[in-house]
Amino acid sequence: MKAQSLAKPTSAFIGASWAALMLGAGAYLIGLWNADMQLNEKGYYFTLLLFGLFSSVSLQKSVRDKLEGIKVTAIYYGLSWFSLAAAVALLSIGLFNATLALSEKGFYAMAYALCLFAAIAVQKNTRDMAYFADDEPSKALEAELEEEH
């Protein structure tokens, strides 16, 4: 059942969400590209970015599904939480043990956090827009039927 209190996301919020995602991911990836670390370390941090983005979107989707009354299995819901916690923990452990300046560690942590938050916002906006897109054809059909009578 679709909630009546859902507000359509504004263009400004959609744009800000995408901009935050691109800014966070871009800064993180440019930082990795320019970092003085071995290729396997760069691969580790790149994989953590992908893992974190996927797990945060998956968690947002499962939380939203539960709120909307869509069945979500307990195992998937638990795995979504675990994978996000694991991604953040692995980044934290990696940065704690990295031979980077404290400012570089902070840069990667903040860019990562921005990416995760923005990915959740983009997923929310995408889902909300799909909700309103589903309603548009039915409203147009209703208006057409009313005009015929």
Side-chain angles (χ1 to χ4, degrees), residues 50-98:
L50 297 179
F51 180 42
L53 290 172
F54 179 79
S55 62
S56 65
V57 168
S58 183
L59 177 60
Q60 193 279 339
K61 183 187 180 325
S62 62
V63 167
R64 178 79 176 260
D65 283 351
K66 284 183 81 160
L67 287 173
E68 292 179 354
I70 299 170
K71 177 104 173 96
V72 177
T73 62
I75 189 84
Y76 186 80
Y77 187 69
L79 282 173
S80 296
W81 274 108
F82 175 77
S83 63
L84 182 61
V88 172
L90 287 169
L91 180 78
S92 300
I93 292 166
L95 289 176
F96 180 78
N97 292 309

Side-chain angles (χ1 to χ4, degrees), residues 12 15 29 34 81 98 108 115-116 122 132-133 136 138:
L29 293 173
N34 292 320
W81 274 108
Y108 285 113
C115 284
L116 296 187
V122 166
F132 285 102
E136 294 304 321
S138 62

Side-chain angles (χ1 to χ4, degrees), residues 72 123 134-135:
V72 177
Q123 162 62 15
D134 288 345
D135 284 351

Side-chain angles (χ1 to χ4, degrees), residues 2-65:
K2 295 181 181 178
Q4 296 297 326
S5 64
L6 182 64
K8 186 174 182 179
T10 64
S11 298
F13 184 62
I14 292 170
S17 300
W18 277 103
L21 180 59
M22 294 302 125
L23 180 67
Y28 187 92
L29 293 173
I30 289 169
L32 273 184
W33 182 266
N34 292 320
D36 185 28
M37 55 176 83
Q38 294 181 7
L39 192 56
N40 63 337
E41 288 179 277
K42 289 181 181 186
Y44 174 79
Y45 289 111
F46 177 70
T47 302
L48 282 179
L49 178 64
L50 297 179
F51 180 42
L53 290 172
F54 179 79
S55 62
S56 65
V57 168
S58 183
L59 177 60
Q60 193 279 339
K61 183 187 180 325
S62 62
V63 167
R64 178 79 176 260
D65 283 351

